[in-house]
Amino acid sequence: DVKVTQSSRYLVKRTGEKVFLECVQDMDHENMFWYRQDPGLGLRLIYFSYDVKMKEKGDIPEGYSVSREKKERFSLILESASTNQTSMYLCASRRTRQGAGGYTFGSGTRLTVV
Amino acid sequence: GIQVEQSPPDLILQEGANSTLRCNFSDSVNNLQWFHQNPWGQLINLFYIPSGTKQNGRLSATTVATERYSLLYISSSQTTDSGVYFCAVALSSNTGKLIFGQGTTLQVKP
């Protein structure tokens, strides 16, 4: 089975800190995604990547950046964390070659910014 | 943009009961998945089902792409089935963005 691993399950950071959320997948998937989930707002796409060094903005990219230097790793960066970025962050990956299946999600990171 | 609507929003069952969750979508899709979000927040993939019918134990799903809906059946429900069930789709013309419904919150009582 494809495994998507997020580096932290819970994280507490201070306002203004630079925060890195790491996501690693082990099945050579081309596409990777970062979502955040908030009560009443559902899951919203922050950024995604088609392949190494490629990135595209999702629906709510403000305040975030991403890095994909290697195919298996997709990092979400909060340049200067703010309290409104307190949320559940979910990473996903997907294969796009012929016969591709669905998306696989990591276990999530609950980030609290104080 | 595409609309993904799930019903019912909330469902309470007694253990052992059967249930049907519905997902309607407003455009042609090339990906449809059902997920179960566990109490720790992880999205567990139940089915990848852009069309047709699949079964996995007590769960089964059917997608009728031409009529733009999908159904998730849960039979002989157990308390461990509790949680939020999401339907998510990706458009045929899209490069992979997954769009989620608002979810159905299921509570199974012992």
Side-chain angles (χ1 to χ4, degrees), chain A residues 27-90:
Chain A
M27 282 299 290
D28 200 36
H29 283 186
E30 292 86 4
N31 291 177
M32 295 189 75
F33 305 82
W34 275 106
Y35 286 83
R36 65 177 280 179
Q37 184 178 22
D38 302 284
L41 297 176
L43 284 99
R44 295 177 292 169
L45 181 64
I46 306 171
Y47 265 98
F48 59 106
S49 170
Y50 297 124
D51 210 329
V52 179
K53 296 192 184 294
M54 299 182 73
K55 59 185 179 183
E56 294 286 339
K57 293 179 180 179
D59 298 319
I60 51 163
E62 296 78 19
Y64 303 94
S65 61
V66 290
S67 173
R68 192 154 180 216
E69 296 297 317
K70 293 185 178 182
K71 195 172 189 178
E72 67 271 18
R73 185 181 297 270
F74 191 35
S75 303
L76 180 69
I77 304 158
L78 286 66
E79 296 290 344
S80 178
S82 63
T83 55
N84 62 14
Q85 292 179 308
T86 292
S87 185
M88 175 68 154
Y89 290 87
L90 292 158

Short mmCIF file of all heavy atoms in Angstrom, two decimals, chain A residues 27-90:
data_model
loop_
_atom_site.label_atom_id
_atom_site.label_comp_id
_atom_site.label_asym_id
_atom_site.label_seq_id
_atom_site.Cartn_x
_atom_site.Cartn_y
_atom_site.Cartn_z
N MET A 27 5.69 5.89 -3.06
CA MET A 27 5.30 5.12 -4.23
C MET A 27 5.53 5.86 -5.55
O MET A 27 4.85 5.61 -6.52
CB MET A 27 3.83 4.69 -4.12
CG MET A 27 3.64 3.51 -3.19
SD MET A 27 4.53 2.02 -3.71
CE MET A 27 3.57 1.56 -5.16
N ASP A 28 6.44 6.80 -5.57
CA ASP A 28 6.82 7.44 -6.83
C ASP A 28 5.64 8.17 -7.49
O ASP A 28 5.54 8.23 -8.72
CB ASP A 28 7.40 6.40 -7.80
CG ASP A 28 8.24 7.03 -8.89
OD1 ASP A 28 8.94 8.02 -8.61
OD2 ASP A 28 8.20 6.52 -10.03
N HIS A 29 4.76 8.73 -6.68
CA HIS A 29 3.62 9.47 -7.22
C HIS A 29 4.06 10.82 -7.76
O HIS A 29 4.89 11.50 -7.15
CB HIS A 29 2.56 9.69 -6.13
CG HIS A 29 1.75 8.48 -5.85
ND1 HIS A 29 0.68 8.50 -4.99
CD2 HIS A 29 1.80 7.22 -6.33
CE1 HIS A 29 0.12 7.31 -4.95
NE2 HIS A 29 0.79 6.51 -5.75
N GLU A 30 3.46 11.21 -8.89
CA GLU A 30 3.82 12.49 -9.48
C GLU A 30 3.17 13.67 -8.74
O GLU A 30 3.78 14.69 -8.50
CB GLU A 30 3.39 12.54 -10.95
CG GLU A 30 4.17 11.60 -11.87
CD GLU A 30 3.58 10.20 -11.89
OE1 GLU A 30 2.54 9.96 -11.26
OE2 GLU A 30 4.19 9.33 -12.54
N ASN A 31 1.89 13.51 -8.45
CA ASN A 31 1.13 14.61 -7.87
C ASN A 31 1.15 14.58 -6.34
O ASN A 31 0.98 13.51 -5.75
CB ASN A 31 -0.35 14.56 -8.30
CG ASN A 31 -0.56 14.85 -9.76
OD1 ASN A 31 -1.68 14.79 -10.23
ND2 ASN A 31 0.49 15.18 -10.49
N MET A 32 1.31 15.75 -5.75
CA MET A 32 1.18 15.86 -4.29
C MET A 32 0.41 17.12 -3.96
O MET A 32 0.45 18.11 -4.71
CB MET A 32 2.56 15.86 -3.62
CG MET A 32 3.31 14.53 -3.81
SD MET A 32 4.81 14.38 -2.85
CE MET A 32 4.15 14.09 -1.20
N PHE A 33 -0.29 17.10 -2.82
CA PHE A 33 -1.25 18.15 -2.48
C PHE A 33 -1.15 18.49 -0.99
O PHE A 33 -0.88 17.61 -0.16
CB PHE A 33 -2.68 17.67 -2.74
CG PHE A 33 -2.93 17.18 -4.13
CD1 PHE A 33 -2.59 15.88 -4.49
CD2 PHE A 33 -3.50 18.00 -5.08
CE1 PHE A 33 -2.81 15.41 -5.78
CE2 PHE A 33 -3.73 17.54 -6.38
CZ PHE A 33 -3.38 16.25 -6.72
N TRP A 34 -1.44 19.75 -0.67
CA TRP A 34 -1.64 20.16 0.72
C TRP A 34 -3.03 20.78 0.86
O TRP A 34 -3.39 21.70 0.11
CB TRP A 34 -0.59 21.19 1.15
CG TRP A 34 0.68 20.59 1.62
CD1 TRP A 34 1.87 20.54 0.96
CD2 TRP A 34 0.91 19.94 2.87
NE1 TRP A 34 2.81 19.90 1.72
CE2 TRP A 34 2.25 19.52 2.91
CE3 TRP A 34 0.10 19.68 3.99
CZ2 TRP A 34 2.82 18.86 4.00
CZ3 TRP A 34 0.67 19.01 5.07
CH2 TRP A 34 2.01 18.62 5.06
N TYR A 35 -3.77 20.24 1.84
CA TYR A 35 -5.08 20.76 2.19
C TYR A 35 -5.06 21.22 3.64
O TYR A 35 -4.28 20.72 4.45
CB TYR A 35 -6.16 19.67 2.07
CG TYR A 35 -6.54 19.29 0.67
CD1 TYR A 35 -5.79 18.37 -0.05
CD2 TYR A 35 -7.68 19.82 0.07
CE1 TYR A 35 -6.16 18.00 -1.34
CE2 TYR A 35 -8.05 19.46 -1.23
CZ TYR A 35 -7.28 18.55 -1.91
OH TYR A 35 -7.64 18.19 -3.19
N ARG A 36 -5.99 22.13 3.97
CA ARG A 36 -6.26 22.39 5.37
C ARG A 36 -7.75 22.17 5.62
O ARG A 36 -8.57 22.33 4.71
CB ARG A 36 -5.83 23.78 5.82
CG ARG A 36 -6.54 24.95 5.20
CD ARG A 36 -6.06 26.28 5.78
NE ARG A 36 -6.67 26.57 7.08
CZ ARG A 36 -6.42 27.65 7.81
NH1 ARG A 36 -5.53 28.55 7.37
NH2 ARG A 36 -7.02 27.86 8.97
N GLN A 37 -8.06 21.75 6.84
CA GLN A 37 -9.43 21.44 7.19
C GLN A 37 -9.82 22.22 8.42
O GLN A 37 -9.15 22.15 9.45
CB GLN A 37 -9.60 19.93 7.46
CG GLN A 37 -11.03 19.52 7.73
CD GLN A 37 -11.18 18.03 7.94
OE1 GLN A 37 -10.22 17.35 8.30
NE2 GLN A 37 -12.37 17.51 7.72
N ASP A 38 -10.93 22.95 8.30
CA ASP A 38 -11.42 23.77 9.40
C ASP A 38 -12.91 23.52 9.59
O ASP A 38 -13.64 23.35 8.60
CB ASP A 38 -11.18 25.26 9.10
CG ASP A 38 -9.72 25.57 8.87
OD1 ASP A 38 -8.99 25.61 9.88
OD2 ASP A 38 -9.31 25.75 7.71
N PRO A 39 -13.37 23.54 10.83
CA PRO A 39 -14.80 23.33 11.09
C PRO A 39 -15.66 24.33 10.33
O PRO A 39 -15.39 25.53 10.33
CB PRO A 39 -14.91 23.55 12.60
CG PRO A 39 -13.54 23.26 13.13
CD PRO A 39 -12.60 23.73 12.07
N GLY A 40 -16.66 23.81 9.67
CA GLY A 40 -17.58 24.66 8.92
C GLY A 40 -17.09 25.08 7.54
O GLY A 40 -17.87 25.57 6.73
N LEU A 41 -15.80 24.89 7.27
CA LEU A 41 -15.23 25.28 5.97
C LEU A 41 -14.80 24.09 5.14
O LEU A 41 -14.47 24.25 3.96
CB LEU A 41 -14.05 26.22 6.19
CG LEU A 41 -14.36 27.56 6.86
CD1 LEU A 41 -13.08 28.34 7.11
CD2 LEU A 41 -15.33 28.38 6.00
N GLY A 42 -14.77 22.93 5.74
CA GLY A 42 -14.39 21.73 5.00
C GLY A 42 -12.92 21.70 4.66
O GLY A 42 -12.08 22.35 5.31
N LEU A 43 -12.58 20.94 3.63
CA LEU A 43 -11.20 20.81 3.18
C LEU A 43 -10.95 21.77 2.03
O LEU A 43 -11.71 21.79 1.06
CB LEU A 43 -10.92 19.38 2.71
CG LEU A 43 -10.74 18.37 3.83
CD1 LEU A 43 -12.01 17.58 4.04
CD2 LEU A 43 -9.59 17.44 3.50
N ARG A 44 -9.89 22.52 2.15
CA ARG A 44 -9.55 23.50 1.13
C ARG A 44 -8.11 23.28 0.66
O ARG A 44 -7.22 23.07 1.47
CB ARG A 44 -9.73 24.92 1.67
CG ARG A 44 -11.17 25.27 2.01
CD ARG A 44 -11.27 26.66 2.62
NE ARG A 44 -10.66 26.73 3.96
CZ ARG A 44 -10.42 27.85 4.60
NH1 ARG A 44 -10.71 29.03 4.04
NH2 ARG A 44 -9.89 27.83 5.81
N LEU A 45 -7.93 23.40 -0.65
CA LEU A 45 -6.62 23.13 -1.24
C LEU A 45 -5.73 24.36 -1.13
O LEU A 45 -6.09 25.45 -1.55
CB LEU A 45 -6.80 22.75 -2.71
CG LEU A 45 -5.55 22.41 -3.50
CD1 LEU A 45 -4.87 21.17 -2.92
CD2 LEU A 45 -5.90 22.19 -4.97
N ILE A 46 -4.52 24.15 -0.60
CA ILE A 46 -3.58 25.25 -0.42
C ILE A 46 -2.64 25.34 -1.63
O ILE A 46 -2.54 26.38 -2.28
CB ILE A 46 -2.76 25.06 0.87
CG1 ILE A 46 -3.66 24.87 2.08
CG2 ILE A 46 -1.83 26.27 1.08
CD1 ILE A 46 -2.92 24.46 3.34
N TYR A 47 -1.93 24.27 -1.89
CA TYR A 47 -0.99 24.17 -3.00
C TYR A 47 -0.97 22.74 -3.50
O TYR A 47 -1.27 21.81 -2.76
CB TYR A 47 0.44 24.53 -2.55
CG TYR A 47 0.85 25.96 -2.78
CD1 TYR A 47 0.78 26.88 -1.73
CD2 TYR A 47 1.35 26.39 -4.00
CE1 TYR A 47 1.18 28.19 -1.91
CE2 TYR A 47 1.76 27.72 -4.19
CZ TYR A 47 1.67 28.61 -3.13
OH TYR A 47 2.08 29.91 -3.31
N PHE A 48 -0.55 22.57 -4.75
CA PHE A 48 -0.28 21.23 -5.25
C PHE A 48 0.90 21.26 -6.20
O PHE A 48 1.35 22.34 -6.63
CB PHE A 48 -1.52 20.59 -5.87
CG PHE A 48 -2.12 21.34 -7.03
CD1 PHE A 48 -1.97 20.87 -8.33
CD2 PHE A 48 -2.90 22.47 -6.82
CE1 PHE A 48 -2.56 21.53 -9.39
CE2 PHE A 48 -3.49 23.13 -7.88
CZ PHE A 48 -3.31 22.66 -9.17
N SER A 49 1.38 20.07 -6.51
CA SER A 49 2.58 19.94 -7.34
C SER A 49 2.40 18.79 -8.31
O SER A 49 2.02 17.68 -7.91
CB SER A 49 3.79 19.67 -6.45
OG SER A 49 4.92 19.31 -7.22
N TYR A 50 2.68 19.04 -9.59
CA TYR A 50 2.57 17.99 -10.60
C TYR A 50 3.79 17.08 -10.63
O TYR A 50 3.70 15.92 -10.99
CB TYR A 50 2.42 18.61 -12.00
CG TYR A 50 1.20 19.44 -12.18
CD1 TYR A 50 1.29 20.76 -12.59
CD2 TYR A 50 -0.06 18.92 -11.94
CE1 TYR A 50 0.17 21.54 -12.77
CE2 TYR A 50 -1.18 19.68 -12.11
CZ TYR A 50 -1.07 20.99 -12.52
OH TYR A 50 -2.19 21.75 -12.69
N ASP A 51 4.92 17.68 -10.30
CA ASP A 51 6.15 16.91 -10.37
C ASP A 51 7.25 17.69 -9.67
O ASP A 51 7.02 18.81 -9.19
CB ASP A 51 6.53 16.61 -11.83
CG ASP A 51 7.28 15.30 -12.00
OD1 ASP A 51 8.01 14.91 -11.06
OD2 ASP A 51 7.15 14.66 -13.06
N VAL A 52 8.44 17.15 -9.70
CA VAL A 52 9.55 17.80 -8.99
C VAL A 52 9.72 19.24 -9.48
O VAL A 52 9.66 19.52 -10.68
CB VAL A 52 10.86 17.01 -9.22
CG1 VAL A 52 12.03 17.69 -8.52
CG2 VAL A 52 10.70 15.60 -8.71
N LYS A 53 9.91 20.14 -8.53
CA LYS A 53 10.14 21.56 -8.77
C LYS A 53 8.95 22.28 -9.41
O LYS A 53 9.07 23.44 -9.80
CB LYS A 53 11.41 21.77 -9.62
CG LYS A 53 12.67 21.30 -8.92
CD LYS A 53 13.91 21.79 -9.62
CE LYS A 53 15.17 21.25 -8.97
NZ LYS A 53 15.35 21.76 -7.60
N MET A 54 7.82 21.61 -9.52
CA MET A 54 6.64 22.25 -10.07
C MET A 54 5.63 22.46 -8.96
O MET A 54 5.46 21.60 -8.08
CB MET A 54 6.03 21.39 -11.17
CG MET A 54 6.98 21.17 -12.34
SD MET A 54 6.22 20.22 -13.64
CE MET A 54 5.11 21.43 -14.32
N LYS A 55 4.97 23.62 -8.99
CA LYS A 55 3.98 23.91 -7.96
C LYS A 55 2.90 24.79 -8.54
O LYS A 55 3.15 25.58 -9.46
CB LYS A 55 4.63 24.59 -6.76
CG LYS A 55 5.34 25.90 -7.09
CD LYS A 55 6.06 26.44 -5.88
CE LYS A 55 6.79 27.73 -6.24
NZ LYS A 55 7.57 28.26 -5.10
N GLU A 56 1.71 24.64 -8.01
CA GLU A 56 0.57 25.43 -8.44
C GLU A 56 -0.21 25.89 -7.22
O GLU A 56 -0.36 25.11 -6.27
CB GLU A 56 -0.37 24.62 -9.35
CG GLU A 56 0.23 24.22 -10.68
CD GLU A 56 0.34 25.39 -11.64
OE1 GLU A 56 -0.39 26.37 -11.44
OE2 GLU A 56 1.15 25.29 -12.60
N LYS A 57 -0.73 27.09 -7.26
CA LYS A 57 -1.56 27.58 -6.16
C LYS A 57 -2.91 26.89 -6.18
O LYS A 57 -3.49 26.65 -7.24
CB LYS A 57 -1.75 29.09 -6.27
CG LYS A 57 -0.46 29.88 -6.05
CD LYS A 57 -0.72 31.36 -6.19
CE LYS A 57 0.56 32.15 -5.98
NZ LYS A 57 0.34 33.61 -6.13
N GLY A 58 -3.40 26.62 -4.99
CA GLY A 58 -4.74 26.11 -4.84
C GLY A 58 -5.71 27.25 -4.58
O GLY A 58 -5.55 28.35 -5.10
N ASP A 59 -6.67 26.98 -3.73
CA ASP A 59 -7.71 27.97 -3.46
C ASP A 59 -7.32 29.01 -2.41
O ASP A 59 -7.81 30.12 -2.42
CB ASP A 59 -8.99 27.25 -3.01
CG ASP A 59 -9.52 26.32 -4.08
OD1 ASP A 59 -9.49 26.72 -5.27
OD2 ASP A 59 -9.96 25.21 -3.75
N ILE A 60 -6.43 28.62 -1.51
CA ILE A 60 -6.07 29.53 -0.40
C ILE A 60 -4.56 29.55 -0.18
O ILE A 60 -4.07 29.19 0.89
CB ILE A 60 -6.82 29.12 0.90
CG1 ILE A 60 -6.63 27.62 1.21
CG2 ILE A 60 -8.30 29.46 0.81
CD1 ILE A 60 -6.96 27.26 2.63
N PRO A 61 -3.77 30.01 -1.13
CA PRO A 61 -2.32 29.97 -0.98
C PRO A 61 -1.72 31.08 -0.12
O PRO A 61 -0.55 31.00 0.25
CB PRO A 61 -1.84 30.11 -2.42
CG PRO A 61 -2.91 30.96 -3.07
CD PRO A 61 -4.21 30.55 -2.41
N GLU A 62 -2.51 32.08 0.20
CA GLU A 62 -1.94 33.25 0.90
C GLU A 62 -1.36 32.84 2.25
O GLU A 62 -2.01 32.18 3.04
CB GLU A 62 -3.03 34.31 1.09
CG GLU A 62 -3.60 34.89 -0.20
CD GLU A 62 -4.59 33.97 -0.89
OE1 GLU A 62 -5.13 33.06 -0.20
OE2 GLU A 62 -4.84 34.16 -2.09
N GLY A 63 -0.13 33.31 2.48
CA GLY A 63 0.53 33.01 3.74
C GLY A 63 1.32 31.72 3.75
O GLY A 63 1.95 31.37 4.74
N TYR A 64 1.28 31.00 2.62
CA TYR A 64 1.97 29.71 2.50
C TYR A 64 2.89 29.71 1.29
O TYR A 64 2.68 30.44 0.34
CB TYR A 64 0.96 28.57 2.32
CG TYR A 64 -0.07 28.44 3.41
CD1 TYR A 64 -1.32 29.06 3.28
CD2 TYR A 64 0.19 27.70 4.56
CE1 TYR A 64 -2.27 28.94 4.27
CE2 TYR A 64 -0.77 27.57 5.55
CZ TYR A 64 -2.00 28.20 5.39
OH TYR A 64 -2.96 28.08 6.37
N SER A 65 3.89 28.86 1.35
CA SER A 65 4.69 28.52 0.18
C SER A 65 4.99 27.03 0.27
O SER A 65 4.70 26.39 1.28
CB SER A 65 5.99 29.33 0.11
OG SER A 65 6.79 29.05 1.25
N VAL A 66 5.52 26.47 -0.83
CA VAL A 66 5.81 25.04 -0.86
C VAL A 66 7.16 24.81 -1.51
O VAL A 66 7.70 25.68 -2.21
CB VAL A 66 4.73 24.24 -1.62
CG1 VAL A 66 3.42 24.20 -0.85
CG2 VAL A 66 4.54 24.78 -3.02
N SER A 67 7.66 23.61 -1.30
CA SER A 67 8.93 23.21 -1.91
C SER A 67 8.83 21.74 -2.29
O SER A 67 8.39 20.92 -1.50
CB SER A 67 10.08 23.41 -0.92
OG SER A 67 11.29 22.88 -1.42
N ARG A 68 9.29 21.45 -3.53
CA ARG A 68 9.35 20.04 -3.95
C ARG A 68 10.65 19.84 -4.71
O ARG A 68 10.69 19.88 -5.93
CB ARG A 68 8.15 19.66 -4.81
CG ARG A 68 8.08 18.14 -4.98
CD ARG A 68 6.71 17.68 -5.25
NE ARG A 68 6.67 16.24 -5.41
CZ ARG A 68 5.86 15.63 -6.26
NH1 ARG A 68 5.04 16.34 -7.01
NH2 ARG A 68 5.86 14.32 -6.32
N GLU A 69 11.69 19.59 -3.95
CA GLU A 69 13.02 19.36 -4.52
C GLU A 69 13.23 17.91 -4.92
O GLU A 69 14.03 17.61 -5.82
CB GLU A 69 14.09 19.79 -3.51
CG GLU A 69 14.07 21.29 -3.20
CD GLU A 69 14.37 22.12 -4.43
OE1 GLU A 69 15.29 21.76 -5.19
OE2 GLU A 69 13.68 23.13 -4.65
N LYS A 70 12.53 17.00 -4.26
CA LYS A 70 12.59 15.59 -4.60
C LYS A 70 11.18 15.08 -4.81
O LYS A 70 10.23 15.59 -4.20
CB LYS A 70 13.28 14.80 -3.49
CG LYS A 70 14.74 15.13 -3.32
CD LYS A 70 15.38 14.22 -2.28
CE LYS A 70 16.86 14.53 -2.15
NZ LYS A 70 17.52 13.62 -1.16
N LYS A 71 11.05 14.07 -5.64
CA LYS A 71 9.72 13.59 -6.02
C LYS A 71 8.93 13.11 -4.81
O LYS A 71 7.71 13.26 -4.76
CB LYS A 71 9.85 12.46 -7.04
CG LYS A 71 8.57 12.13 -7.76
CD LYS A 71 8.84 11.15 -8.89
CE LYS A 71 7.61 10.99 -9.75
NZ LYS A 71 7.87 10.08 -10.89
N GLU A 72 9.59 12.51 -3.86
CA GLU A 72 8.87 11.90 -2.76
C GLU A 72 8.50 12.88 -1.63
O GLU A 72 7.75 12.52 -0.74
CB GLU A 72 9.70 10.75 -2.15
CG GLU A 72 10.98 11.18 -1.45
CD GLU A 72 12.17 11.24 -2.39
OE1 GLU A 72 11.96 11.29 -3.62
OE2 GLU A 72 13.31 11.22 -1.87
N ARG A 73 9.00 14.09 -1.68
CA ARG A 73 8.82 15.01 -0.55
C ARG A 73 8.19 16.32 -0.98
O ARG A 73 8.65 16.95 -1.95
CB ARG A 73 10.18 15.29 0.11
CG ARG A 73 10.11 16.14 1.36
CD ARG A 73 11.51 16.37 1.92
NE ARG A 73 12.14 15.12 2.34
CZ ARG A 73 12.05 14.59 3.54
NH1 ARG A 73 11.35 15.23 4.48
NH2 ARG A 73 12.64 13.46 3.83
N PHE A 74 7.16 16.74 -0.25
CA PHE A 74 6.46 17.99 -0.56
C PHE A 74 6.30 18.74 0.76
O PHE A 74 5.61 18.26 1.66
CB PHE A 74 5.10 17.67 -1.18
CG PHE A 74 4.38 18.84 -1.78
CD1 PHE A 74 5.05 19.87 -2.42
CD2 PHE A 74 2.99 18.89 -1.76
CE1 PHE A 74 4.37 20.93 -3.00
CE2 PHE A 74 2.29 19.94 -2.34
CZ PHE A 74 2.98 20.96 -2.96
N SER A 75 6.93 19.88 0.86
CA SER A 75 6.95 20.63 2.11
C SER A 75 6.05 21.84 2.02
O SER A 75 6.04 22.55 1.01
CB SER A 75 8.38 21.09 2.42
OG SER A 75 9.26 19.98 2.48
N LEU A 76 5.32 22.08 3.08
CA LEU A 76 4.48 23.28 3.20
C LEU A 76 5.15 24.21 4.19
O LEU A 76 5.55 23.78 5.28
CB LEU A 76 3.08 22.91 3.69
CG LEU A 76 2.09 24.07 3.86
CD1 LEU A 76 1.71 24.64 2.48
CD2 LEU A 76 0.84 23.61 4.60
N ILE A 77 5.29 25.47 3.80
CA ILE A 77 6.01 26.44 4.62
C ILE A 77 5.09 27.59 4.99
O ILE A 77 4.45 28.19 4.11
CB ILE A 77 7.24 26.98 3.86
CG1 ILE A 77 8.14 25.81 3.43
CG2 ILE A 77 8.03 27.97 4.73
CD1 ILE A 77 9.05 26.12 2.28
N LEU A 78 5.02 27.85 6.28
CA LEU A 78 4.33 29.04 6.76
C LEU A 78 5.42 30.05 7.07
O LEU A 78 6.21 29.89 8.00
CB LEU A 78 3.53 28.73 8.03
CG LEU A 78 2.24 27.93 7.87
CD1 LEU A 78 2.49 26.50 7.40
CD2 LEU A 78 1.46 27.92 9.18
N GLU A 79 5.53 31.07 6.24
CA GLU A 79 6.65 32.00 6.33
C GLU A 79 6.67 32.75 7.67
O GLU A 79 7.72 32.95 8.25
CB GLU A 79 6.58 32.99 5.18
CG GLU A 79 6.75 32.36 3.80
CD GLU A 79 8.16 31.84 3.54
OE1 GLU A 79 9.09 32.23 4.29
OE2 GLU A 79 8.34 31.03 2.61
N SER A 80 5.50 33.13 8.15
CA SER A 80 5.39 33.83 9.43
C SER A 80 4.03 33.42 10.01
O SER A 80 3.00 34.01 9.67
CB SER A 80 5.47 35.34 9.23
OG SER A 80 5.31 36.01 10.47
N ALA A 81 4.07 32.42 10.86
CA ALA A 81 2.83 31.81 11.33
C ALA A 81 1.93 32.82 12.03
O ALA A 81 2.40 33.69 12.79
CB ALA A 81 3.14 30.65 12.28
N SER A 82 0.63 32.68 11.76
CA SER A 82 -0.36 33.53 12.42
C SER A 82 -1.44 32.66 13.03
O SER A 82 -1.61 31.49 12.64
CB SER A 82 -0.97 34.51 11.42
OG SER A 82 -1.66 33.81 10.42
N THR A 83 -2.17 33.23 13.97
CA THR A 83 -3.17 32.42 14.69
C THR A 83 -4.26 31.90 13.75
O THR A 83 -4.84 30.83 13.99
CB THR A 83 -3.81 33.23 15.82
OG1 THR A 83 -4.33 34.45 15.29
CG2 THR A 83 -2.77 33.56 16.90
N ASN A 84 -4.54 32.60 12.65
CA ASN A 84 -5.56 32.10 11.73
C ASN A 84 -5.07 30.94 10.86
O ASN A 84 -5.82 30.43 10.02
CB ASN A 84 -6.13 33.22 10.85
CG ASN A 84 -5.10 33.86 9.95
OD1 ASN A 84 -4.00 33.34 9.77
ND2 ASN A 84 -5.44 35.00 9.38
N GLN A 85 -3.84 30.55 11.07
CA GLN A 85 -3.33 29.35 10.40
C GLN A 85 -3.39 28.11 11.31
O GLN A 85 -2.93 27.03 10.93
CB GLN A 85 -1.91 29.58 9.90
CG GLN A 85 -1.87 30.60 8.77
CD GLN A 85 -0.46 30.87 8.27
OE1 GLN A 85 0.45 31.16 9.06
NE2 GLN A 85 -0.27 30.82 6.97
N THR A 86 -3.97 28.29 12.48
CA THR A 86 -4.25 27.15 13.33
C THR A 86 -5.28 26.28 12.61
O THR A 86 -6.37 26.74 12.26
CB THR A 86 -4.80 27.60 14.69
OG1 THR A 86 -3.78 28.27 15.41
CG2 THR A 86 -5.32 26.42 15.49
N SER A 87 -4.92 25.02 12.38
CA SER A 87 -5.78 24.18 11.55
C SER A 87 -5.24 22.76 11.52
O SER A 87 -4.17 22.47 12.05
CB SER A 87 -5.82 24.74 10.12
OG SER A 87 -6.73 24.03 9.31
N MET A 88 -6.01 21.89 10.88
CA MET A 88 -5.56 20.54 10.56
C MET A 88 -5.04 20.57 9.13
O MET A 88 -5.76 21.00 8.22
CB MET A 88 -6.74 19.57 10.67
CG MET A 88 -6.43 18.16 10.25
SD MET A 88 -5.31 17.35 11.38
CE MET A 88 -5.75 15.64 11.14
N TYR A 89 -3.80 20.12 8.94
CA TYR A 89 -3.19 20.11 7.61
C TYR A 89 -3.05 18.67 7.12
O TYR A 89 -2.52 17.81 7.83
CB TYR A 89 -1.82 20.80 7.65
CG TYR A 89 -1.95 22.29 7.85
CD1 TYR A 89 -2.02 22.83 9.13
CD2 TYR A 89 -2.05 23.15 6.77
CE1 TYR A 89 -2.17 24.19 9.33
CE2 TYR A 89 -2.19 24.51 6.95
CZ TYR A 89 -2.25 25.03 8.23
OH TYR A 89 -2.41 26.38 8.42
N LEU A 90 -3.52 18.44 5.90
CA LEU A 90 -3.51 17.10 5.33
C LEU A 90 -2.76 17.10 4.00
O LEU A 90 -3.02 17.93 3.13
CB LEU A 90 -4.95 16.62 5.09
CG LEU A 90 -5.75 16.37 6.38
CD1 LEU A 90 -7.24 16.45 6.10
CD2 LEU A 90 -5.40 15.03 6.98
#
